[in-house]
Amino acid sequence: MKNYIIVSIGLLLICGCSQTSSKESKGFMEIIGDISVSKIEVIDGRTGERHSTTEDENIEQFYQLLSEREYKEMKNHEKVKGYIYCAVLYSGKKDFNVTFLDDEIDINGTYYSLNNPILEEDIFKLLE
C-alpha cells in the first residue's frame, strides 16, 4: 500500500510538470497572431540569394512548416550573427522577420527553441 501511494504521488508530480511545460510552449500562430500574409521573401544566409512568393499555395506550405512545431521562448539569448535562412512575412498589419538557426528560431528579435528543428531541405523545397 505504501508503494502504491508513493507511485501515485510520483505520477501526479510528473503530470503536473508536463502540464506546466506545455503552457510555456506556443504554436506559431500564437506568436504572430491572426494575420494575412500577402508575400514571403526568403534570403539564403550563405549566398545572399533572395526568393519571394505571393502564391497562396506556397504561403500555406510555409505556414504549415512553421505550425508543425512547438516554440519555447528563450530568455536572455545573445543576439546571433549570421543565419541559414531568413524570411520576411509581409502583412498589411505588421511584417515578421523569421530567422532560422538550426534548432532555434528568431521571430522579430525573440529567440525560441524548437521541439523539432526546421531542416534546410524543408525550406529549400518551398523555394523550388
Side-chain angles (χ1 to χ4, degrees):
M1 183 69 174
K2 192 177 197 180
N3 288 339
Y4 176 76
I5 293 172
I6 291 172
V7 170
S8 296
I9 291 172
L11 287 174
L12 283 173
L13 289 172
I14 291 170
C15 290
C17 291
S18 66
Q19 287 179 353
T20 302
S21 64
S22 66
K23 288 181 182 178
E24 293 174 8
S25 295
K26 296 180 181 180
F28 183 67
M29 295 305 288
E30 289 177 271
I31 295 170
I32 66 167
D34 186 24
I35 64 167
S36 177
V37 173
S38 58
K39 177 181 174 183
I40 297 176
E41 183 176 41
V42 179
I43 304 162
D44 185 324
R46 295 162 297 202
T47 64
E49 189 175 345
R50 294 175 178 265
H51 305 270
S52 64
T53 185
T54 56
E55 294 180 31
D56 290 339
E57 183 180 334
N58 292 345
I59 291 171
E60 182 63 36
Q61 289 174 346
F62 196 81
Y63 262 95
Q64 184 176 356
L65 177 68
L66 294 170
S67 296
E68 293 173 342
R69 281 128 179 99
E70 292 180 13
Y71 299 76
K72 187 178 253 186
E73 188 174 340
M74 302 171 72
K75 303 288 183 190
N76 303 320
H77 194 284
E78 289 185 29
K79 193 159 183 98
V80 176
K81 293 181 181 179
Y83 53 85
I84 298 171
Y85 285 102
C86 177
V88 181
L89 284 61
Y90 293 96
S91 168
K93 297 177 185 177
K94 182 178 180 180
D95 298 342
F96 287 88
N97 293 308
V98 180
T99 306
F100 300 92
L101 310 160
D102 292 324
D103 60 345
E104 298 174 1
I105 196 165
D106 170 2
I107 302 174
N108 281 355
T110 302
Y111 291 87
Y112 298 89
S113 62
L114 300 171
N115 67 327
N116 184 14
I118 297 175
L119 304 175
E120 251 181 274
E121 300 85 42
D122 296 333
I123 298 168
F124 185 75
K125 285 179 194 174
L126 296 175
L127 301 177
E128 293 178 329

